[in-house]
Amino acid sequence: MGKTKDFITTHKTAVIIAAVTIAVIIGLAVGIPCGIFFAPKHGKVSTYSYDKTADFDLAKEGYVIKKSEDKDFKVLNIADLQMSEVYTISQNKRNYDLVRRLVEQEKPDLLTFTGDNFWLNNAKSATKKFIKNIDSLGVPWAPVFGNHEPETEVDKNWIIEQFLTAQNCIFNYGENANRVKDLAKGPNNIDGVGNYVINVLDSQNKIIHTIFMIDSHSNNDDQHPEKVENIAQSSGIDGLDGWYTKDNYLFKPNEKDNSKLDAVGTKYDYIKANQIEWYEWVVKGVAKLNNAQLNADNVVPSSAYFHIPLPEFNIAYAIYEKELIQKYGNIKDKNGNYTIDGREEVNGNFGLNRENVCSPYYNSGFFAKMQELKSTKDVIVGHDHVNNSSVEYKGIRLTYGLKTGDGCYWDSTGTVSGGTVIAVNNIGGTKTAHKYMPFN
């Protein structure tokens, strides 16, 4: 009986060892290839740095694209496409078909992408499919990053290295093919990845408009409006009773109790001081390079494209909403839904915000610098998917580009889906319009 028990015990042990061995072998056979396939991908950091003591050099510091004299230079902006390999084949196709339909309808000279081009996992495959689909349109295209790309298994440097393989990406397009490739990743002596400029040239190779493509980063928990004291003793906001700004933070009356003040914003990140310094260097350098007075301010007109809205988007829209109420009376029903569609211009402004402005709490001063330099007249962002307001504030138009992809959340009615066109004329002036197009 004892020998039988020993045999059974030995047999069970052998079976367990065999099973564990087989499981380990299977695990290695599956795990190693999957580990290689799904391993995080990191690109090389830029080796390019800009010299703020030197003059801006068109041949070294940025990309160029030509404008035809007989028509406006048309930029078509695509916002929050948010492609992902977790979508069905039909959903991916639907999003790319929408971009294609917009391109066929608008015939743009340049496609811009204001971030959240991909999200979720397996962005490696999504990046490559994105490049294949967008490059096939035969139109030069220029991307910046949103807050979601860094949350995937690839980093921004790796993504740009893939963009550099695309024939029609602005990094390789036309006269840009032999330029320094690290320009795409941006200067390594400022924050962010993918800070670069595109200069629009006329037939005489004169710069008529500069397009700034800027990384607005992702999240930043180091913002503390709750530490600001004696808020009401600070500067008020013209046009908005009870709104104040202090210590680079913005406050407004609480909706339920006007005696209390709430901080305006979120913990999404902001454009950094060294990026603003670089922006100023480019603006002044381009004006000097042109060596001619293009307008009364002696600057080259410009526009700025990035993902996360500036704090001033809150102020601009609050003032605009007052104008809407003055014109239409009660603009919302009892559930807080708009009773107007927002497609009409009111004092030159249009669109509606159907959610809060998710700007950073902290104001790093980029808007103030744009005001000071008098070059940038248009800011185009994404991020807040059901907002489509376009409001001029202190001489600068602040525009939410229409959300183009049906990933994450969106308005399924097509009310705020499509693309946004910024038309540049022969002297660098702009006109902004939304091009509504529902998903098929």
Side-chain angles (χ1 to χ4, degrees), residues 398-416:
L398 304 177
T399 300
Y400 275 108
L402 292 183
K403 178 170 170 56
T404 314
D406 65 355
C408 199
Y409 67 95
W410 76 100
D411 188 315
S412 59
T413 66
T415 303
V416 287

Side-chain angles (χ1 to χ4, degrees), residues 159-184:
I159 294 172
I160 286 184
E161 287 170 6
Q162 310 315 302
F163 288 162
L164 284 165
T165 68
Q167 178 180 351
N168 290 314
C169 186
I170 195 67
F171 309 146
N172 289 322
Y173 187 80
E175 298 179 26
N176 301 313
N178 296 321
R179 289 174 187 265
V180 179
K181 297 301 182 185
D182 270 357
L183 283 177

Side-chain angles (χ1 to χ4, degrees), residues 241-342:
D241 292 337
W243 286 57
Y244 301 95
T245 179
K246 187 175 184 184
D247 298 342
N248 301 106
Y249 290 103
L250 179 65
F251 301 88
K252 69 176 183 179
N254 181 280
E255 291 183 1
K256 296 181 179 179
D257 184 352
N258 285 341
S259 67
K260 298 179 180 179
L261 292 172
D262 292 333
V264 179
T266 66
K267 290 200 172 183
Y268 283 110
D269 211 350
Y270 49 85
I271 293 169
K272 304 301 179 1
N274 55 25
Q275 291 175 286
I276 299 171
E277 185 177 40
W278 167 79
Y279 161 83
E280 181 173 10
W281 176 78
V282 174
V283 168
K284 292 180 177 179
V286 167
K288 183 177 180 180
L289 185 66
N290 246 29
N291 197 29
Q293 184 170 325
L294 290 183
N295 54 37
D297 296 318
N298 198 25
V299 292
V300 175
S302 63
S303 50
Y305 294 72
F306 46 92
H307 186 68
I308 298 173
L310 300 170
E312 283 78 8
F313 272 71
N314 295 279
I315 300 170
Y317 190 76
I319 294 172
Y320 171 52
E321 197 165 54
K322 288 175 62 177
E323 296 172 350
L324 290 175
I325 292 171
Q326 289 173 359
K327 179 172 182 178
Y328 295 106
N330 189 8
I331 60 174
K332 293 182 180 179
D333 62 23
K334 62 181 181 180
N335 296 317
N337 298 315
Y338 282 105
T339 55
I340 55 176
D341 66 14

Side-chain angles (χ1 to χ4, degrees), residues 65-78 101-112 139-142 198 200 208-209 211 303 305 419-426 429-435:
I65 191 167
K66 292 289 184 68
K67 178 193 178 299
S68 299
E69 287 189 357
D70 58 349
K71 65 183 183 70
D72 286 347
F73 181 89
K74 186 183 288 189
V75 179
L76 171 61
N77 188 71
I78 305 298
R101 285 189 289 133
L102 282 165
V103 168
E104 290 173 350
Q105 172 182 291
E106 298 302 321
K107 297 177 175 56
D109 299 288
L110 177 68
L111 271 173
T112 53
V139 177
W141 53 277
I198 305 166
V200 182
I208 62 165
H209 192 91
I211 296 172
S303 50
Y305 294 72
T420 301
V421 168
I422 299 88
V424 181
N425 62 27
N426 284 336
T430 55
K431 176 70 176 176
T432 301
H434 290 319
K435 302 299 177 180

